[in-house]
Amino acid sequence: MEYITSRGFELPTDQTEMENFDWFNMWSNRNFPYYELLVGDTLYWFDTTAQKLVWKTEVVKVDRFPYSDKQQIFDRYPNSLGLKYYDSRPDSGYFVGYKVKVLEKLDIEKPNGFRFPQLGWLRVDNEIATTWFNRQPTEDTNTLDDNVSDDNKNITELLADLNEKMKNVSPERVEKLVSATIRKDTKIINALKKATDFKCQFPNCGQRITKKNGGFYIEVAHIKPVSQNGQSILGNLIVLCPNHHKEFDFGDLKIDEQTNSKLAGQLNGNKFEIELTYHD
Ligand SMILES: [Zn+2]
């Protein structure tokens, strides 16, 4: 994805300074793009004092967490002290920090009549791509699982990594990607199948289908459907045989309890409880 972010102070004119700085936002709410910003995204920097875009950068690190005390931020980001922005931030809320790599120095003036939103973040949509950059927007080819390597990892570590990654993906973004390209959750789905040994997780089932060329066939269902903004994360994914999958989809399903590690409810009148924790 591509974003424009604005700052109410003069941005560095030096590339090293730009890259060394701990950039951040602190909000009382999980404002856009708290969840959306990802490593690999393109970030354009708007300097409000110059009323120009001055840098094109790539996000190389993202760190996000809720904070209850500004001191936590002081401790982790000593380089960011003393800024007026920092002092004006809420005492508790949501922190998103990021490092960038400079791709290009820019000198692009804000198009006439364009008003920057209050919170200083814009997604580069078709209109912006056309009016600011004078170009046709390109397809979003950023994949959600690119930053997780499955080399030398056991299945528990891999699942944990993938889960962290998918947590940072807003349902809105997943939905957009699903319609725009293909599903990007293949890795977590495959890891989950392996972790369950390709067996249906429904109590007392454990079915899997043996394929003639080796391997097994099994399905993975979203407990809260993607169409209702359900995420591809642990706690919302369940490995099911085709029968139980369809029974989940079409049967009378009542969920009594859903956490990251447990799912309990009733399916067509039968009570069930499924542990959603995984080990090697
Ligand atoms: Zn089953």
Side-chain angles (χ1 to χ4, degrees):
M1 294 277 174
E2 296 187 317
Y3 302 98
I4 300 174
T5 184
S6 76
R7 289 298 182 278
F9 52 85
E10 208 176 318
L11 288 164
T13 51
D14 177 68
Q15 177 171 348
T16 313
E17 205 183 326
M18 194 69 200
E19 292 181 341
N20 285 345
F21 202 80
D22 292 316
W23 296 103
F24 60 87
N25 288 92
M26 291 159 72
W27 295 303
S28 52
N29 298 310
R30 279 169 291 194
N31 289 330
F32 166 85
Y34 179 77
Y35 284 123
E36 287 84 354
L37 190 68
L38 294 179
V39 168
D41 283 341
T42 302
L43 207 52
Y44 294 93
W45 294 79
F46 184 71
D47 187 323
T48 55
T49 58
Q51 290 289 297
K52 281 177 180 179
L53 288 177
V54 291
W55 292 107
K56 178 183 182 182
T57 65
E58 182 185 329
V59 177
V60 292
K61 188 182 167 198
V62 184
D63 190 14
R64 76 198 92 210
F65 52 88
Y67 66 95
S68 54
D69 181 353
K70 271 186 181 178
Q71 188 62 41
Q72 292 172 283
I73 317 290
F74 272 101
D75 293 345
R76 287 169 80 151
Y77 295 94
N79 290 344
S80 307
L81 297 183
L83 289 176
K84 274 184 193 162
Y85 175 81
Y86 184 93
D87 296 335
S88 71
R89 294 296 83 200
D91 291 331
S92 66
Y94 296 87
F95 174 93
V96 56
Y98 35 99
K99 290 279 219 190
V100 296
K101 179 178 83 183
V102 167
L103 298 176
E104 203 181 332
K105 198 163 189 170
L106 300 175
D107 185 12
I108 299 176
E109 288 192 27
K110 184 164 68 75
N112 278 339
F114 193 92
R115 290 188 53 189
F116 220 91
Q118 192 91 47
L119 293 166
W121 280 85
L122 272 179
R123 176 151 50 209
V124 176
D125 60 14
N126 292 356
E127 195 196 334
I128 290 170
T130 315
T131 55
W132 289 58
F133 304 115
N134 197 21
R135 66 167 158 83
Q136 291 305 307
T138 50
E139 277 290 292
D140 177 19
T141 54
N142 206 8
T143 69
L144 305 177
D145 51 16
D146 277 351
N147 299 302
V148 178
S149 152
D150 47 12
D151 306 330
N152 307 317
K153 276 198 181 117
N154 65 36
I155 202 80
T156 315
E157 284 171 345
L158 180 62
L159 264 178
D161 278 7
L162 288 164
N163 195 46
E164 276 309 304
K165 187 78 192 160
M166 294 308 287
K167 265 187 208 166
N168 293 334
V169 177
S170 70
E172 186 199 22
R173 180 167 173 155
V174 171
E175 201 166 35
K176 190 162 180 287
L177 285 166
V178 167
S179 59
T181 53
I182 52 164
R183 285 279 283 276
K184 302 293 185 181
D185 52 7
T186 323
K187 277 193 183 178
I188 196 167
I189 301 278
N190 288 339
L192 196 57
K193 289 179 181 176
K194 275 187 204 157
T196 56
D197 200 21
F198 295 84
K199 288 178 181 166
C200 177
Q201 286 182 290
F202 201 82
N204 305 317
C205 180
Q207 290 276 344
R208 60 182 184 182
I209 292 170
T210 305
K211 296 197 271 190
K212 71 171 177 238
N213 297 328
F216 302 100
Y217 175 82
I218 196 72
E219 301 180 354
V220 174
H222 286 81
I223 296 159
K224 184 181 182 189
V226 176
S227 59
Q228 290 168 30
N229 292 342
Q231 287 182 283
S232 294
I233 57 171
L234 297 183
N236 198 48
L237 294 173
I238 183 169
V239 176
L240 293 174
C241 67
N243 272 345
H244 277 122
H245 193 169
K246 290 301 159 209
E247 201 176 359
F248 254 69
D249 286 348
F250 300 124
D252 182 19
L253 175 66
K254 293 191 181 83
I255 303 288
D256 298 323
E257 190 186 351
Q258 184 187 6
T259 69
N260 286 342
S261 58
K262 187 183 163 185
L263 182 71
Q266 290 178 50
L267 183 58
N268 285 336
N270 298 316
K271 280 198 170 193
F272 67 85
E273 196 174 310
I274 301 169
E275 291 294 326
L276 303 176
T277 50
Y278 306 97
H279 310 282
D280 285 297

